[in-house]
Amino acid sequence: MNPLLRMQAAGVAVVLEFAVGEMPVWRYWGAALAHTPLMDAWPATDLLRMAPGTLDRLAGVPLLACWGNGEPGAPALRAHRAGLDAVQDLRATGFVQTNPHSLVLHLSDEVAAIAVDVSLQLCADSGVLSLHSLLRNTGTADLTVDHQACASVALPPVLQELGSYHGQWSHEFQWTRQPVPMAGWQRDNRTGRSGHEAPPAVFVLARDAGDHQGEAVAAQLAWSGNHRFALDRAEDGRLCLQAGEWLAPGEVVLAPGATLQTPTLHLGWSDAGMNGASARMQQFTRSQVLQWAGGSMRPRPVHLNTWEAVYFNHQADVLFDLARAAAAVGVERFVLDDGWFPARKDDRAGLGDWWPDPAKYPEGLGPLIAHVHSLGMEFGLWVEPEMVNPDSELFRAHPDWALQVAGRALVLGRNQLVLDVARPEVGQYLFDKLHALLTAHPIAYLKWDMNRTFAQAVGLDGRVAMRSQITAWYALLRRLRTAHPQLEIETCASGGGRADLGALRYTQRLWTSDNNDAVSRVTIQSGAARLFPLELMGSHVGPAPAHATGRSQSMDFRCAVACFGHMGVEADVRQLPDTDRATLARWIALYKSLRGVLHTGQFHQGRTEDGLVWWLVQAADRAVLGVFTAQPPNYTYQPPLRLPSLAGTGVWQLRLLASAGQARARGDALDPWGDALRQADGVRVAGGELARMGLPVPVMQPESALLYSFSRVPGSEG
Ligand code: GLA
C-alpha cells in the first residue's frame, strides 16, 4: 500500500496517495475524518475498474495533470523547447512534510528535463487549502511555458454547480449560478488586471447547496493580472478545478536552471453552504493575507472622498470648506481624489507628473493637509502611478517608457498608456515621486487607481510584459510600505477592477465600485462580501441622484447600506440639505459604535423569496443585522426571517437601532413589537428561535432598511 499523505485542520481533511515513481493522486478533500480504514487498506487504483477503450493503466485524479502520460483531464502544464520536450510525464521523487499543515511534493521528468514542486498548505485556523507549483527548467536549453496551473484539484463529486462573477464598470461582483456543463467550464482573463468582467474567484456547489447549507467550495486566485479558471470535466466525467495565470505566447521563457512559480490558489471547503465557504476565506484573509501597519487593524476611519464632490475642479476655498463640513459630520479621513497634479483639468493630461499643480496648489499640498489635520482628520491622496498621459512631462521626456509595439499606433484607454513598471528606471521614478510626497507630508493613505485594460503590452525586448507588470506592481507596493510602514493603500481600478487576494497582501481596502447608488450597492456588496471581509470594502454614501445611475434614495437608506463595509462619504457635504446632513452624522456615529463588530465578526447573508436581502455579522457577544429591500413586496405578509447561524447561540437582547424607508402598516395601526424593539433594552430572543421560527419583520416598501443589534445575555451561551 502506498503511503497516504494527510493534512487535517479546522474540521477539514486532505489526503493524497503518494508513491515514488508515480504521479501523486487525490484521495480525499472534505470534512475531517476520525477513522480511514478503507483509504488505509485500499489504494486508489484498486478501487477503479479499467474502462473500455482506455490506456492499459489506472490512476486516480492527479495532483498535476500531465497530458503527456495520457491523463484524460486538461493539462496543468504546457511547455516545450521550440516544439521539443512537449510530452511531459511528471513522477514523484519525494516529499517534505515539515508540519501537519504543509506538504511539498517533488515531481520530475528527466526525459523532458523539468521538475515541479507542488506545495499544499492547510491553514490551521481557517481550514483554507492553499496550493501553488514551482516549475524548474532542468534542461540545457530554454523552456517556453505556455501554461502552468497551481495544481489540479479533484473536487468532491457532489459539486456540480458553478457560482461565478461577471460585471463591468459600476456593475461589479454580479453573481451567476449555473450547472457545470457536460463539457466543463473555462474562463480566461486577458485584460492585464484581475478585472470587472471576471474577478479571479469561483464557487463550486452541490445542487442542494444554498447560502446556509450544503457542500460548497470557494476558490480565489491570489493574483491581480491575467488568469485562467477551469472546471475541467475529463472525458471520463471527473470534475477537476484548475487555476493559474493566463500566459501570453512567449511571455515566459525559462533559461536552464530558471524557475516559474504560480500564484497561490486558495480554497475554502464547507458543508455549511456558501456562507460557510465564505467564512473560511474571510477568516483566512484576516489572519493570513492582510498586513496591517503595526500588526493589527485599527478602527476603520470614516472617509470623505472628493471625487463626486468636486471631480477635477480643485479650488482651495471649496476644499477647505468641504473638509470642515466633512469633519462636522464625523469624517475621520479626507481623501483628495484625482485632479491635484499639473494639467489635470480633465482626464486628458497629467498622469505621470506626480507633483502638485502649481496653479491649483501654489503652496503645494501642505496647507490643505495642515487644515485637514487641524480638523482632526487624516489625509489621503489619489494616485494612478502605473499610467501616463501622452500629454504629460513624463511622456514627453520618456515616450519609450510606455508599453507599446514598435511600428504600431499607440492604443489609448481613458486617454492614457500603461508604463512598463518592470523596467528598473520606471519603477525607480515612481518610487521616487511617491516617496517624495509621502516624505514631505503626513499622508496616511493612497487611493491607488488603475483605469484601463492592457493592449499591445509589449516591453523593450519585444515580449509581452503583463505578468512582469504585476510582479513589478507588487514590488513597488512592498517597497513603499517598507519605506512608509504606517501607510495604508486602497486598490482601485475604475471601481472594483483590481480586487483580489494578491493585491490585498499589500493593500488594506478595495474600492468596491464607482456606483454609489444604494440599490445597486446591495447587489454589488452582497457579491463582494462572498469574497472579502467587510472592513476591506469601501462603501460610500453618495449623492442623490446617484451619479452612476441617476436614481435617488433616501439618506437613511444610503447610510444603512454604506454602514456594512468601510464606510465613507462621496458627496459634497456642504451642499446637502440640513436634514440630510444631520441624518448622515447620526449614521456615521452609529457606524462608529458598530464597526468593532462589523469588522471582526463572521458575515452571513441571505435572501427571501420576496426579495428581502439580509446581512448578519456575528461576533462572540454582539451581532448586527441589516435587512434591505429593493422591490415592492408581493404579499401583505412577510414571513419571519430565519437566521440559521444563530442556532445554539443562547439568548440575546435584540434592538432595532435604525430604519430607512417605510414598513407598511395603516397609519393608525399599533406596532407593539416594533415599539418594544426600539426601547433601550429591546426584546429578549433566543438564537434558536430566530434560526428556526425566524425574526418577525414588517412588510417593507422598496428601498427600506432595518438595522438591528444583538447583545448576548451574559451566561446564556449555548
Ligand atoms: C476611477 C475611480 C474613481 C475616481 C476616478 C478619478 O474611475 O474608480 O473613484 O478616483 O478614477 O479619475
Side-chain angles (χ1 to χ4, degrees), residues 307 312 337-338 382 414 447 449 451 492 494-495 511 514:
W307 182 236
F312 295 103
D337 208 286
D338 198 354
W382 180 95
R414 206 195 191 203
K447 174 177 176 179
D449 213 335
N451 279 312
C492 169
S494 314
W511 181 222
D514 277 351

Side-chain angles (χ1 to χ4, degrees), residues 48-384:
L48 298 170
R49 297 294 306 277
M50 204 92 80
T54 58
L55 298 177
D56 295 339
R57 58 177 191 73
L58 282 171
V61 178
L63 183 60
L64 198 88
C66 267
W67 78 282
N69 66 7
E71 167 57 39
L77 180 66
R78 279 185 287 111
H80 59 94
R81 291 187 181 84
L84 303 179
D85 297 331
V87 176
Q88 288 117 13
D89 188 0
L90 287 160
R91 303 293 174 127
T93 56
F95 70 89
V96 180
Q97 183 154 28
T98 41
N99 62 54
H101 304 127
S102 82
L103 257 178
V104 181
L105 291 95
H106 303 300
L107 313 175
S108 119
D109 177 347
E110 287 179 6
V111 175
I114 56 167
V116 178
D117 289 345
V118 182
S119 300
L120 297 91
Q121 188 96 30
L122 192 63
C123 174
D125 53 70
S126 65
V128 163
L129 175 64
S130 303
L131 301 119
H132 70 260
S133 61
L134 176 83
L135 167 68
R136 183 182 303 278
N137 178 6
T138 56
T140 52
D142 286 357
L143 180 76
T144 301
V145 185
D146 291 338
H147 178 64
Q148 185 185 349
C150 305
S152 309
V153 182
L155 290 168
V158 69
L159 304 183
Q160 294 292 338
E161 295 205 353
L162 165 74
S164 66
Y165 291 94
H166 63 275
Q168 55 154 308
W169 174 78
S170 250
H171 195 55
E172 292 87 341
F173 301 109
Q174 302 297 310
W175 167 262
T176 315
R177 184 167 172 170
Q178 64 190 94
V180 179
M182 283 295 285
W185 175 90
Q186 179 175 307
R187 193 176 56 192
D188 292 348
N189 163 45
R190 296 175 294 273
T191 61
R193 56 186 187 183
S194 37
H196 299 85
E197 305 80 6
V202 295
F203 282 67
V204 203
L205 307 163
R207 291 217 166 90
D208 65 351
D211 279 318
H212 320 289
Q213 83 296 323
E215 226 169 302
V217 162
Q220 291 195 57
L221 186 70
W223 182 244
S224 309
N226 295 335
H227 59 252
R228 161 168 292 180
F229 264 85
L231 281 171
D232 178 57
R233 181 146 3 233
E235 53 226 41
D236 61 11
R238 288 173 305 183
L239 203 57
C240 176
L241 172 67
Q242 280 187 14
E245 272 180 80
W246 181 89
L247 296 175
E251 191 171 9
V252 174
V253 179
L254 297 181
T259 58
L260 174 66
Q261 180 166 323
T262 65
T264 303
L265 176 65
H266 300 290
L267 303 166
W269 172 91
S270 174
D271 54 8
M274 294 181 268
N275 284 332
S278 291
R280 286 198 190 275
M281 295 302 290
Q282 302 197 354
Q283 193 183 341
F284 176 81
T285 304
R286 282 175 173 164
S287 73
Q288 308 298 317
V289 178
L290 297 171
Q291 300 185 5
W292 295 105
S296 59
M297 179 183 76
R298 29 180 207 110
R300 303 290 72 218
V302 179
H303 282 198
L304 180 293
N305 193 63
T306 60
W307 182 236
E308 293 197 9
V310 299
Y311 289 102
F312 295 103
N313 188 9
H314 290 204
Q315 297 173 35
D317 53 339
V318 170
L319 290 169
F320 273 59
D321 280 355
L322 184 58
R324 243 176 249 116
V329 294
V331 165
E332 298 164 305
R333 186 185 271 165
F334 184 87
V335 182
L336 188 66
D337 208 286
D338 198 354
W340 58 270
F341 43 96
R344 195 67 173 169
K345 60 181 187 344
D346 52 33
D347 63 15
R348 290 194 199 103
L351 291 175
D353 301 344
W354 299 112
W355 54 89
D357 180 355
K360 291 179 188 166
Y361 296 93
E363 295 167 65
L365 294 175
L368 177 62
I369 296 177
H371 174 67
V372 164
H373 276 223
S374 75
L375 292 163
M377 297 185 290
E378 296 177 4
F379 183 82
L381 191 64
W382 180 95
V383 289
E384 197 182 356

